[in-house]
Amino acid sequence: MIKDSNVQMAMTFPPLLVVLLLALSTGPLCDAIWLNIPKTGTKCVSEEIHSNVVVLADYVVVSVEDGQTAAIAVKVTSPYGNNLHHSENVTYGRFAFTTEEAGNYLACFWSDNRTRGSGEVVVNIDWKTGIAAKDWESVARKEKLQGVELELRKLEGAVEAIHENLLYLKSREAEMRSTSETTNARVAWFSIMSLGICIVVSGLQVWYLKRFFQKKKLI
Amino acid sequence: MERKWRKIWGLIGLLLLNFVNNVSSLSLTITKVECVYEIVRSEGDIVSGNFVVVDHHIFWSSDHPGIDFSITSPGGDILHNLKGTSGDKFSFKAPRSGLYQFCFHNPLSTPETIALYIHIGHIPNEHNLAKNEHVDPINVKIAELREALEAVTTEQKYLKARDAVHRRTNESTKKRVIGYTVGEYILLTIASVLQVVYIRRLFSKSVGYNRI
C-alpha cells in the first residue's frame, strides 16, 4: 500500500516540483546581503577560504534609477592575484570556482560611470562557500532521494562540514602553539645574547683604548 | 486522498525550507561607515551572527578604541548598539519581516577589516499557514536540528576569525622580536664604535691641549 501511494505521489509531484523550483530559483532576492556601492571607488568583499572549496556567488543590482537599473563591474581575484572572473557593465551575473590556493579571495564591485545616476547602487550579493554551495538537486536526482531523506542527507553534509572545520581549527591552534613556543625561546636567547654582546663590545672598547693610550705613551 | 495531500504540502513545506536557510559570511573593509542589509522573510525568525575586527593596526598601545556596531530594524528602531568593540556575537528574534541594517562605524582614520557572519534561521510553525494546512512535526524537528547545527557553525566561524586575529598578532610578535633585537645589536655596536672614535679624536688633536 505504501508503494502504491509512493507511485501516485511520484506521478503528481514532478510538475509541482518543477514549478516550485523554477519559481523559487528565479527569484532574485533569495538569500543574500545587500551592499551599497559608492558612486566613485570600489567596494570589495573578501573571505579567507582554504583550498579545494567550491565557491558560488550571484549578484544582482537592486536599485533602480530613472526606470533603469544601474550597471556595475565586477572583478574576482585569487590570493595570488589571478583573475577569476571579470565583467563590466552588467546588472546581474554569477560566478563559480573551486579554490586552488588557501588565502583571501577578493570580489570587487564598482559602479560603471556610463550610467548617469547620482546616488549609490545597491547590489544583492549571494556568496556561498563549501557545503552551502553544494548542488543538492543534482544529488537528489542522482541518488533518487526526496523529502525527509534529502533533508537528512543535507544535515549529514552540515555535520561533516562542522567536523572538518573543527579539525582545521585544531591544526591552526597547533601551529600557533609552536609559533608561540618558538617566539618564547627566541626572546630568552636573544636577551642573553644581547647581554653577551654588550659585555664583549665593552671589553673590546677597553682593550682598544688601553692599547691606544699605551701607544700614545700616556699610560 | 487526505494523506496524499498532507504529504504533498509537507513536501512543499520542506522545499520551501531549502530556500529559507540564510547565511552570509564575508569580510569588509571599513573606512568610515559601512552598512550591510539583509532581508528577513518572516516575523519571528532568529537572526544570529558575529563579527570580528581582523586587521587591528595596533602599533604602540594594546588598547584599540574598536569600532561601533548597530543593528536597525525595518521600522527604524535600533535593536543592538555596541561602541568600541573588537568583535562580538549577537542574536535576536526579528520583531517583523523586512530589511534589517547592520552598520559599522570606524572612529579612526585607518581602514579596518571586519569578518562578518549573519545567519537567519526559520522554524516552520502553525502560525502562518492557512487553516486546513498542517505542519508535519518531522519538518519542525528537522528545522530545529538544522538550526542547532547552524548555531555550531556560527560559533565556529567566530572562532576561526578570532584565530586569524591571534595568528596575526603572533606573527607580528615573532617578526618584532627578531627585527628589534638585531636592530638593538647593531645600534649597540655602532654606539660603542662611535664612542671609541670620539675618544681617539679627543686625544689626537694635540697632546699639549688635553693633558688629562
Side-chain angles (χ1 to χ4, degrees), chain B residues 49-61:
Chain B
N50 50 60
F51 70 96
V52 174
V53 181
V54 169
D55 232 355
H56 266 172
H57 291 284
I58 299 176
F59 197 58
W60 294 125
S61 72

Side-chain angles (χ1 to χ4, degrees), chain A residues 8-115:
Chain A
Q8 272 180 326
M9 281 200 299
M11 286 192 350
T12 49
F13 270 176
L16 268 172
L17 263 180
V18 167
V19 166
L20 205 59
L21 283 173
L22 273 179
L24 288 168
S25 58
T26 53
L29 306 176
C30 240
D31 22 299
I33 61 159
W34 288 15
L35 272 189
N36 253 345
I37 300 187
K39 188 150 175 273
T40 53
T42 62
K43 178 72 72 88
C44 291
V45 296
S46 60
E47 191 172 348
E48 185 120 13
I49 314 179
H50 18 137
S51 56
N52 250 352
V53 170
V54 177
V55 177
L56 183 64
D58 290 286
Y59 55 92
V60 178
V61 175
V62 166
S63 61
V64 175
E65 282 174 32
D66 307 326
Q68 237 186 14
T69 42
I72 51 165
V74 187
K75 184 161 177 176
V76 182
T77 48
S78 80
Y80 292 152
N82 304 335
N83 190 1
L84 293 164
H85 173 86
H86 183 63
S87 31
E88 304 251 358
N89 203 14
V90 286
T91 51
Y92 64 90
R94 141 187 285 222
F95 53 88
F97 56 91
T98 307
T99 56
E100 280 158 9
E101 309 105 27
N104 214 20
Y105 285 79
L106 193 67
C108 286
F109 299 85
W110 64 95
S111 134
D112 244 343
N113 282 332
R114 273 167 267 175
T115 60

